[in-house]
Amino acid sequence: MTDNETGRAIALQDYEQQTAEAMARLQYQVDYSKALLNGLTVGNGGAILALLTFIGNTGSKVDPASMRSAFSFYGAGLACVLIAYAAGFFTQYFFYDATQSQAWNAQSAALGAGSEHDVSGPMRRGNIALVVGILAAIASMVSFISGSLLALSALT
């Protein structure tokens, strides 16, 4: 086997491995999005329901302004959940795109052609979406904590 044939065989193996990784990323996209959305939604949405139930069942006197602010923070937390969910989706989409581009480049190399698919652009966009998702998730947690503190002060 010549060096050229060996290089093509290795490139073909790279193509197959990159394609398998791209398919796995599609599954990661679904799994991560579900876990993030479920966890943060239960936290913020559950807090809203729990507070409404508590107020309705106990007849406790509450400070309306603080309670309104608490509900606003929980609502903002839910909005951040949706932003984080969307960012997670786009993160995996862009990483999938980069991985598939790497696979196509490997396939081109296996056929003796040059690399023509951009990998850096989708990777950059994926990293930006990742940062947005992380910041939105942190904002959701901060909103939950802030809403909880305001709810506690409204109930006392």
Side-chain angles (χ1 to χ4, degrees):
M1 191 176 249
T2 67
D3 286 341
N4 192 23
E5 291 172 340
T6 302
R8 287 182 181 185
I10 291 171
L12 182 58
Q13 288 174 351
D14 287 346
Y15 167 76
E16 291 169 355
Q17 189 268 335
Q18 293 293 339
T19 299
E21 182 181 343
M23 296 308 294
R25 285 196 179 276
L26 287 176
Q27 186 58 47
Y28 298 152
Q29 177 182 358
V30 171
D31 294 343
Y32 289 142
S33 297
K34 283 182 188 177
L36 177 65
L37 182 63
N38 290 338
L40 294 174
T41 301
V42 167
N44 286 290
I48 292 171
L49 292 175
L51 226 85
L52 287 171
T53 303
F54 177 77
I55 292 168
N57 288 337
T58 63
S60 297
K61 293 202 178 234
V62 296
D63 176 29
S66 291
M67 194 55 70
R68 192 175 314 115
S69 295
F71 282 116
S72 295
F73 272 104
Y74 289 138
L78 284 172
C80 288
V81 167
L82 295 176
I83 292 168
Y85 175 75
F89 174 86
F90 284 108
T91 296
Q92 289 305 309
Y93 169 75
F94 289 127
F95 288 158
Y96 160 80
D97 191 26
T99 302
Q100 192 59 58
S101 292
Q102 288 173 330
W104 288 328
N105 286 340
Q107 183 184 39
S108 293
L111 298 172
S115 301
E116 58 187 58
H117 296 281
D118 178 37
V119 175
S120 62
M123 285 299 288
R124 187 182 72 255
R125 288 187 292 275
N127 286 326
I128 290 169
L130 179 63
V131 169
V132 169
I134 290 170
L135 292 176
I138 290 170
S140 179
M141 288 186 278
V142 168
S143 293
F144 176 79
I145 292 167
S146 300
S148 297
L149 293 173
L150 283 167
L152 283 174
S153 70
L155 294 173
T156 56

